[in-house]
């Protein structure tokens, strides 16, 4: 959770802008809601290096701030940010050049704004400066036709090396706009223990006040497009997250209703909440939208799982306004998404807890219903329903709940009920589990009642650090899963993931294998 400079300042970012935004994060109250990163994006560096290859920054843009500092040391702004109790983020490109080289948003382009050829040097320098987060773009890498899986793995190893030398961690943000499906290779890439990856393009081009670009506007259909493109449930779990881009809440173009719907979409996605608006210009309504504790809590839930679309009714309808959902593309497949009524569910920590999004992508108000059985709760049971935005209890309802959702809007709910029975597969059940060579464990004959199944894994890991395993479902591309320490081999832990399974019988196979180092001891799977 935090703020990024790009949406509101483009490549004009400098020390004064960052100081003003950091102060505003504290004074606005959004820091208390959990926002903590101040991320400096494109434009902070103009591609200069000294004769030893070290990055050199403009001393006028990055002057001394406190006594004893010298101009041109970007560690000055890091110390300022840290002094406010916040964390600092920085930006580079995986290629030799950067986005500002080829398509500068404002002003001239500058060559050599990327880190290719200097990975170990640059990421060590970022860590020595004290940065806590690094976003790595792909403009240069794309222009050079590099392989993102290879380049980002090299960068991840450079980040690991920097931590080994300095003891300081850099949170890794991969920004190759979903090219070559990063959700299939980004989790645990290069041995990294946590990261995020962009799943699509930018929601909006920068809207910079008092410039030629001040007239640009954010549009809700682009918000929906990025939400759709971010849905890759197999990959998001245990510290690895899809990133649908920084938010445009509080930027010109969206109404208060659209801002809340936007925030609802990002919250149920469970990805990063990075504000792109100018924090010094947030209205009271903007601040309330960004800081609603129940909405933020849904996003930041400890399970870290993505949502699953559990129902959709397509509506034959014409005349849908441009600002609505009709032009948004689905997560898979070309072409615009037709107007529809959707229900999305996100499993939360604690038994029987679900976040539910009722999403109306049409131009007219409509009633949308959710059934407890579709949430993995007991079909005929009674469950409590709470309005997340209103922070109010709506009552207890049997089997189902319905609400009228305004056009191009969403209702965000918290539903608490009784878990339906799950099928448990134990490691000692030889008919279900077959140990193989090379640290592989195969659970076969797995049945699921849902196309995207919720899988709870019971395991032990006596190490002080996470162990990692690759999971391959029905022979598809593997995802890497982190298994945190359980303290010793006798103690058990539980993690939850989601995976696409076949629902026609018990023909699914889940194969676990060692990713790096020893496997966790997997004891059982519980599958809904």
């Amino acid at each position: 959770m935090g703020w990024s400079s790009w949406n509101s300042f483009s490549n004009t970012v400098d020390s004064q802008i960052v100081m003003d935004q950091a102060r505003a994060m504290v004074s606005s109250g959004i820091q208390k809601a959990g926002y903590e990163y101040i991320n400096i994006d494109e434009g902070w560096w103009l591609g200069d290096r000294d004769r030893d290859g070290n990055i050199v920054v403009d001393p006028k843009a990055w002057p001394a701030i406190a006594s004893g500092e010298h101009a041109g040391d970007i560690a000055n702004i890091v110390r300022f940010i840290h002094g406010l109790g916040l964390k600092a983020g920085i930006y580079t490109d995986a290629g030799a050049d950067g986005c500002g080289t080829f398509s500068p948003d404002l002003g001239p382009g500058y060559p050599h704004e990327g880190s290719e050829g200097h990975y170990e040097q640059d990421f060590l320098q970022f860590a020595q400066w004290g940065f806590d987060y690094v976003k790595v773009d792909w403009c240069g890498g794309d222009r050079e036709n590099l392989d993102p899986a290879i380049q980002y793995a090299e960068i991840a190893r450079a980040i690991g090396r920097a931590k080994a030398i300095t003891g300081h961690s850099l949170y890794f943000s991969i920004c190759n706009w979903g090219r070559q499906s990063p959700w299939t290779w980004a989790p645990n890439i290069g041995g990294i223990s946590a990261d995020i990856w962009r799943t699509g393009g930018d929601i909006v081009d920068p809207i910079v006040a008092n410039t030629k670009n001040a007239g640009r506007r954010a549009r809700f259909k682009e918000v929906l497009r990025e939400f759709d493109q971010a849905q890759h449930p197999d990959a998001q779990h245990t510290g690895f997250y899809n990133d649908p881009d920084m938010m445009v809440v509080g930027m010109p173009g969206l109404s208060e209703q659209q801002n809340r719907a936007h925030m609802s979409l990002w919250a149920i996605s469970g990805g990063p909440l990075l504000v792109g608006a100018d924090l010094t210009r947030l209205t009271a309504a903007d601040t309330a939208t960004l800081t609603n504790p129940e909405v933020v809590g849904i996003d930041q839930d400890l399970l870290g799982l993505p949502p699953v679309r559990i129902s959709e009714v397509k509506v034959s309808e014409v005349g849908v306004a441009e600002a609505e959902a009709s032009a948004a593309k689905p997560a898979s497949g070309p072409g615009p998404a037709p107007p529809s009524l959707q229900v999305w569910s996100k499993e939360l920590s604690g038994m029987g807890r679900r976040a539910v999004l009722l999403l109306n992508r049409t131009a007219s108000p409509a009633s949308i219903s959710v059934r407890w059985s579709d949430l993995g709760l007991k079909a005929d049971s009674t469950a409590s329903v709470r309005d997340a935005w209103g922070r109010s209890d709506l009552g207890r309802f049997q089997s189902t709940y319905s609400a009228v959702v305004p056009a191009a809007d969403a209702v965000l709910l918290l539903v608490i009920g009784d878990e339906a029975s799950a099928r448990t597969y134990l490691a000692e059940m030889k008919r279900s589990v077959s140990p193989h060579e090379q640290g592989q464990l195969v659970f076969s004959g797995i049945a699921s009642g849902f196309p995207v199944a919720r899988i709870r894994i019971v395991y032990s890991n006596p190490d002080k650090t996470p162990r990692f395993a690759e999971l391959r479902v029905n022979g598809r591309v593997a995802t890497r899963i982190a298994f945190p320490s359980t303290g010793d081999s006798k103690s058990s832990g539980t993690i939850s993931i989601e995976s696409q399974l076949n629902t026609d019988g018990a023909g699914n196979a889940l194969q676990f294998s060692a990713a790096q180092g020893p496997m966790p001891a997997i004891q059982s799977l519980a599958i809904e």
Side-chain angles (χ1 to χ4, degrees):
M1 295 176 64
W3 170 85
S4 176
S5 62
W6 179 249
N7 275 2
S8 292
F9 297 99
S10 184
N11 51 343
T12 67
V13 64
D14 61 18
S15 180
Q16 189 60 55
I17 289 171
V18 175
M19 291 170 65
D20 290 344
Q21 297 299 308
R23 292 189 183 106
M25 181 172 282
V26 176
S27 63
S28 68
I30 71 170
Q31 179 193 25
K32 292 181 180 179
Y35 295 87
E36 58 178 349
Y37 284 96
I38 296 291
N39 293 341
I40 302 168
D41 209 288
E42 165 72 26
W44 68 274
W45 172 49
L46 305 182
D48 294 328
R49 295 181 183 270
D50 64 19
R51 62 183 181 182
D52 296 321
N54 296 307
I55 291 172
V56 176
V57 300
D58 181 359
K60 293 181 180 179
W62 305 99
I65 299 173
S67 175
E69 296 178 345
H70 65 273
D73 182 1
I74 203 166
N76 300 340
I77 195 66
V78 176
R79 285 189 288 269
F80 178 85
I81 293 169
H82 286 171
L84 294 175
L86 302 170
K87 296 180 180 180
I90 197 64
Y91 167 98
T92 188
D93 195 283
D97 293 309
C99 296
T101 302
F102 307 111
S103 54
D105 189 63
L106 291 169
Y110 294 93
H112 314 307
E113 289 186 321
S115 290
E116 185 187 10
H118 298 272
Y119 288 164
E120 291 191 351
Q121 186 173 20
D122 286 0
F123 291 94
L124 177 59
Q125 194 166 10
F126 296 154
Q128 290 172 333
W129 279 332
F131 283 102
D132 308 291
Y133 176 111
V134 61
K135 173 183 171 181
V136 184
D137 221 329
W138 189 240
C139 291
D142 188 56
R143 185 63 65 96
E144 296 176 51
N145 293 316
L146 300 176
D147 185 324
I150 293 174
Q151 300 305 125
Y152 283 111
E154 289 186 19
I155 291 167
R157 287 188 285 270
I159 290 172
R161 175 180 178 272
K163 180 180 179 180
I165 293 172
T166 66
H168 193 74
S169 298
L170 286 165
Y171 191 87
F172 189 20
S173 171
I174 294 171
C175 182
N176 78 321
W177 331 304
R179 299 283 178 86
Q180 297 188 31
S181 306
W183 45 91
T184 65
W185 45 259
N188 191 223
I189 188 169
I192 209 84
S193 60
D195 63 353
I196 57 176
W197 53 87
R198 283 281 295 278
T199 53
D202 293 354
I203 295 175
V204 66
D205 290 331
I207 304 174
V208 185
N210 304 314
T211 72
K212 65 178 183 178
N213 297 333
R216 292 171 173 167
R217 292 293 180 266
R219 297 196 296 178
F220 190 58
K221 72 173 186 178
E222 302 301 325
V223 172
L224 284 155
R225 172 178 58 82
E226 292 303 323
F227 170 75
D228 287 338
Q229 292 181 344
Q231 305 312 316
H232 306 284
D234 294 70
Q236 181 169 314
H237 47 66
T238 64
F240 308 117
Y241 299 96
N242 298 299
D243 177 6
D245 193 20
M246 68 190 83
M247 298 185 292
V248 295
V249 172
M251 296 188 68
L254 298 189
S255 66
E256 288 185 18
Q257 171 186 311
Q258 289 172 329
N259 278 333
R260 286 192 297 273
H262 176 13
M263 185 72 179
S264 296
L265 292 166
W266 261 233
I268 203 162
S269 292
L273 297 180
L274 296 175
V275 183
D278 181 346
L279 299 182
T280 68
R281 299 188 177 196
L282 292 178
T283 66
D286 296 334
T287 301
T289 297
L290 291 169
T291 59
N292 180 295
E294 297 195 14
V295 177
V296 171
I298 289 171
D299 177 84
Q300 296 289 300
D301 183 78
L302 293 177
L303 283 187
L305 292 175
V308 174
R309 189 177 65 198
I310 59 174
S311 71
E312 179 176 36
V313 177
K314 295 182 180 179
V315 180
S316 298
E317 184 171 301
V318 296
V320 179
E322 182 185 38
E324 322 304 348
S326 61
K329 293 182 179 179
S332 61
S340 62
L341 308 175
Q342 298 177 344
V343 179
W344 294 80
S345 171
K346 170 184 168 73
E347 184 172 358
L348 303 176
S349 55
M351 296 297 287
R353 300 178 70 247
R354 306 286 191 270
V356 175
L357 185 76
L358 309 180
L359 178 60
N360 182 355
R361 304 180 73 141
T362 77
S364 302
S367 178
I368 303 178
S369 299
V370 56
R371 297 180 300 185
W372 300 165
S373 58
D374 291 335
L375 301 178
L377 302 177
K378 290 183 178 179
D380 295 327
S381 66
T382 299
S384 65
V385 179
R386 183 172 173 84
D387 175 8
W389 283 106
R391 300 172 65 184
S392 60
D393 293 326
L394 301 177
R396 294 184 63 81
F397 299 83
Q398 186 172 6
S399 302
T400 186
Y401 176 80
S402 300
V404 175
V405 183
D409 202 354
V411 169
L412 185 60
L413 304 170
L414 175 64
V415 177
I416 303 176
D418 297 326
E419 291 280 1
S421 299
R423 296 179 178 90
T424 299
Y425 298 83
L426 302 176
E428 62 266 26
M429 294 170 62
K430 297 185 182 299
R431 61 181 178 83
S432 297
V433 184
S434 302
H436 293 287
E437 296 179 356
Q438 300 177 349
Q440 293 184 350
L441 185 65
V442 178
F443 288 70
S444 58
I446 302 296
S448 174
F450 297 96
V452 179
R454 302 175 183 91
I455 304 174
R456 296 186 182 93
I457 307 173
V458 179
Y459 71 97
S460 64
N461 170 17
D463 297 347
K464 294 181 179 179
T465 57
R467 290 185 178 184
F468 296 89
E470 285 193 344
L471 169 61
R472 190 177 301 274
V473 177
N474 296 333
R476 297 196 303 266
V477 173
T479 185
R480 288 194 172 188
I481 302 171
F483 292 81
S485 172
T486 58
D488 56 59
S489 59
K490 295 181 180 180
S491 300
S492 297
T494 303
I495 60 169
S496 294
I497 63 171
E498 293 173 343
S499 186
Q500 298 180 57
L501 298 183
N502 300 321
T503 58
D504 53 348
N508 295 286
L510 281 66
Q511 175 182 298
F512 293 87
S513 58
Q516 56 187 31
M519 278 260 290
I522 298 175
Q523 300 164 12
S524 67
L525 307 180
I527 298 182
E528 295 179 355

